[in-house]
Amino acid sequence: MFTRSLLTAFTTLFATAALAYPNVGDKVSWTGTMSTVSGETNAVKITKEVISHDEKKNIWKIKIEAVVGTDKTSETMEISDLYSPAKYKALIADCEKNGGTLEKLSAPAGTYDTCKMSMTMADGTMVERWWGDIPFGVVSKSTRDSGKMPISKPDLNSIIAGL
């Protein structure tokens, strides 16, 4: 009986915590590859983390780190609006009406119900994003040049949410 109660409490706690974003401490990492025009392919790792929230001003401070091959960059930015479970629900509800497709997507961090949205930039580059119910929203992103050659394809690698 105690084991069943403990298991129920544990499951409820983590199911609730998974939906508790955005929150300070949320951290998401994507890994993949990026190709250059010359055909060189480099490993890519992008990490976003919520490092603070000013409740009075409703300002979120986000740290973004990117590693492409041996090049590393890091920046901190402040924004007033972060992706949330409510935004995910609205996106999924209107996905097809807004030109997207509902897809189940598997990534190293798990399998997600997503809305795939595609757009073509002025130079012909196609960007596809799979939006899911996770901090920062993007489960995967694919970029292809106008010749349809893959430029980058980072997939969700890890999530820490609701701490």
Side-chain angles (χ1 to χ4, degrees):
M1 184 65 142
F2 175 73
T3 305
R4 179 178 286 157
S5 297
L6 186 60
L7 180 60
T8 301
F10 182 78
T11 304
T12 303
L13 173 67
F14 281 96
T16 303
L19 298 176
Y21 68 90
N23 202 359
V24 174
D26 290 352
K27 186 174 185 177
V28 179
S29 292
W30 298 268
T31 57
T33 59
M34 181 177 284
S35 300
T36 63
V37 177
S38 64
E40 180 183 345
T41 300
N42 290 299
V44 173
K45 182 175 182 180
I46 302 164
T47 302
K48 289 186 177 183
E49 180 177 8
V50 179
I51 56 176
S52 69
H53 181 229
D54 183 329
E55 290 186 38
K56 289 181 182 177
K57 295 180 182 177
N58 193 32
I59 299 292
W60 297 88
K61 191 177 281 189
I62 309 299
K63 182 178 181 181
I64 303 169
E65 296 179 326
V67 179
V68 179
T70 58
D71 295 332
K72 297 177 185 180
T73 61
S74 180
E75 71 175 293
T76 301
M77 60 189 303
E78 293 182 344
I79 58 176
S80 61
D81 193 24
L82 278 182
Y83 193 79
S84 66
K87 287 185 181 192
Y88 168 74
K89 288 178 186 174
L91 181 72
I92 290 296
D94 291 335
C95 179
E96 292 174 328
K97 183 172 80 174
N98 291 326
T101 56
L102 296 171
E103 295 185 7
K104 190 168 283 291
L105 183 70
S106 292
T111 300
Y112 301 89
D113 292 321
T114 68
C115 175
K116 177 184 174 188
M117 301 295 285
S118 303
M119 62 185 242
T120 303
M121 310 299 277
D123 67 356
T125 300
M126 175 177 271
V127 178
E128 300 170 311
R129 286 186 182 89
W130 287 261
W131 295 89
D133 192 9
I134 63 168
F136 303 104
V138 178
V139 175
S140 185
K141 178 181 171 188
S142 175
T143 306
R144 299 181 183 281
D145 69 13
S146 58
K148 306 301 180 223
M149 294 295 296
I151 297 173
S152 68
K153 178 74 170 90
D155 286 323
L156 180 67
N157 190 52
S158 66
I159 301 173
I160 299 173
L163 298 177

